């Protein structure tokens, strides 16, 4: 089965959070729930400090922990494109997926008493449109597509970053074109 995933170019991202807003709008998310988030990190110290942004969401992993622990099959891998999907109707709101994902992606939605997460805009893609975050990014820092094709196209991109859990845990379908600063261990998250 072909697997889909995201590519993110940190050098192009200016931290505008348009992808985050587009995702929130497309999914009609309540206050406090965000499926795609932009985080800002800094490394180093004055006068050589530098900052970078990381736009992240579900990595549509090869070995998704959220799917493994879901007791009712609400979290599942789509047979057509390999993305990790969530069935709101089947979800019992137990939060097993929320606790299991090392990336902190699934979120409990108390207003609906279920969990939820990025579905890689499956309905939009089925209608021939781009993912909301991809279409919204003014600098085209995000791409979505066949994971193997993205790896071939962006050969220098990485799946391991110091700010993320080890890729060996779930084998994420995430590629990041990261500047040298984003590969440093002395990062600090910046609250904006």
């Amino acid at each position: 089965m072909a697997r889909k995933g995201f590519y993110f170019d940190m050098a192009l991202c200016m931290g505008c959070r348009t992808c985050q807003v587009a995702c929130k709008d497309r999914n009609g998310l309540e206050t406090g729930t965000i499926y795609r988030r932009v985080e800002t990190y800094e490394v180093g110290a004055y006068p050589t400090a530098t900052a970078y942004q990381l736009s992240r969401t579900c990595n549509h992993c090869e070995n998704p922990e959220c799917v493994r622990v879901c007791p009712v099959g609400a979290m599942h891998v789509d047979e057509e494109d390999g993305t990790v999907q969530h069935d709101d109707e089947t979800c019992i709101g137990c939060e097993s997926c929320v606790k299991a994902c090392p990336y902190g992606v699934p979120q409990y939605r108390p207003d609906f008493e279920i969990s939820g997460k990025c579905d890689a805009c499956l309905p939009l893609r089925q209608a021939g449109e781009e993912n909301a975050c991809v279409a919204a990014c003014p600098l085209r820092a995000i791409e979505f597509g066949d994971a193997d094709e993205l790896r071939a196209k962006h050969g220098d991109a990485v799946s391991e970053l110091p700010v993320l859990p080890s890729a060996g845990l779930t084998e994420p379908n995430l590629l990041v074109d990261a500047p040298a600063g984003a590969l440093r261990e002395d990062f600090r998250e910046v609250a904006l």
Side-chain angles (χ1 to χ4, degrees):
M1 161 190 345
R3 297 300 288 257
K4 302 279 187 189
F6 284 101
Y7 163 80
F8 175 65
D9 187 339
M10 284 185 175
L12 294 178
C13 181
M14 62 181 168
C16 69
R17 291 174 168 68
T18 303
C19 58
Q20 181 174 304
V21 173
C23 175
K24 191 167 182 69
D25 182 57
R26 182 248 177 232
N27 288 291
L29 301 176
E30 62 277 2
T31 301
T33 303
I34 302 173
Y35 289 171
R36 175 172 284 281
R37 62 183 164 267
V38 177
E39 300 164 341
T40 302
Y41 296 91
E42 65 180 9
V43 293
Y46 178 82
T48 60
T50 187
Y52 61 90
Q53 277 73 232
L54 176 61
S55 176
R56 61 191 202 98
T57 189
C58 180
N59 298 318
H60 302 285
C61 302
E62 293 289 329
N63 299 306
E65 279 294 299
C66 60
V67 171
R68 186 185 68 77
V69 302
C70 182
V72 295
M75 286 288 187
H76 61 281
V77 176
D78 183 82
E79 293 180 12
E80 301 258 332
D81 68 4
T83 56
V84 177
Q85 297 294 317
H86 180 264
D87 183 349
D88 291 354
E89 300 298 317
T90 305
C91 182
I92 59 174
C94 69
E95 298 184 65
S96 293
C97 58
V98 174
K99 296 170 186 163
C101 177
Y103 297 95
V105 169
Q107 295 180 36
Y108 183 68
R109 301 180 69 186
D111 292 357
F112 301 97
E113 297 181 337
I114 60 170
S115 296
K117 64 166 221 50
C118 161
D119 64 0
C121 293
L122 184 61
L124 288 179
R125 293 186 293 113
Q126 288 173 332
E129 298 179 44
E130 285 187 304
N131 310 58
C133 59
V134 173
C137 180
L139 296 176
R140 302 295 174 240
I142 306 170
E143 292 178 32
F144 181 82
D146 179 274
D148 291 334
E149 290 176 13
L150 289 173
R151 284 183 188 95
K153 181 179 177 182
H154 304 288
D156 292 336
V158 298
S159 292
E160 291 270 354
L161 291 172
V163 300
L164 297 175
S166 170
L169 295 172
T170 61
E171 298 179 58
N173 283 306
L174 168 69
L175 290 171
V176 179
D177 195 344
L183 301 175
R184 291 175 50 171
E185 299 283 341
D186 63 333
F187 64 89
R188 294 167 304 282
E189 187 168 4
V190 177
L192 297 178

